[in-house]
Amino acid sequence: QVQLEESGGGLVQPGGSLRVSCAASGTFFRIIAMGWYRQAPGKQRDLVASINAGGGIDYADSVKGRFTISRDNAMNTVHLQMNSLKPEDTAVYYCNARAYSSYTEWDDYWGQGTQVTVSS
């Protein structure tokens, strides 16, 4: 199985920056893709950004040009650099990993979430 450890998050002023990170750990697995989702109170959980093993990246339209997702060379850690933060970015941010659980099957794994609050 895969365990996801999230770090970062916190309170930041509008226009400020914050970085959240996620480290995947386990015994024997191969990660297909990792990404970040966010969920505000009363709203659904939506994709923020993702990066796959081939380097392909997707961003939500609302964060394009402001957020940057990156990974280490082993594809076990991802970072989300969030710049020009807006109050509407306030949410719990969840790390996601899609990884093989066997030679042919994959599963999605989730972190516990980290709070990001953008407020003056």
Side-chain angles (χ1 to χ4, degrees):
Q1 294 184 330
V2 175
Q3 293 81 45
L4 302 178
E5 299 179 9
E6 298 154 328
S7 61
L11 176 65
V12 66
Q13 290 183 293
S17 298
L18 205 62
R19 169 178 272 218
V20 291
S21 299
C22 177
S25 62
T27 55
F28 185 31
F29 60 90
R30 177 175 173 83
I31 294 174
I32 301 167
M34 295 184 71
W36 287 94
Y37 291 69
R38 67 186 181 188
Q39 186 171 24
K43 297 184 178 180
Q44 67 179 22
R45 186 177 300 183
D46 292 322
L47 173 71
V48 178
S50 66
I51 182 168
N52 63 32
I57 295 173
D58 288 318
Y59 292 105
D61 288 340
S62 60
V63 307
K64 287 181 179 177
R66 300 189 297 120
F67 290 10
T68 303
I69 190 169
S70 61
R71 61 169 174 85
D72 63 13
N73 292 331
M75 192 62 180
N76 66 335
T77 303
V78 292
H79 310 277
L80 185 68
Q81 179 67 44
M82 300 179 286
N83 298 326
S84 302
L85 283 161
K86 305 174 181 179
E88 49 264 46
D89 294 317
T90 296
V92 177
Y93 284 67
Y94 295 91
C95 180
N96 166 265
R98 178 167 290 180
Y100 282 103
S101 57
S102 70
Y103 285 106
T104 57
E105 302 293 328
W106 55 263
D107 290 309
D108 280 317
Y109 302 87
W110 295 92
Q112 76 281 2
T114 184
Q115 178 70 45
V116 172
T117 302
V118 185
S119 177
S120 60

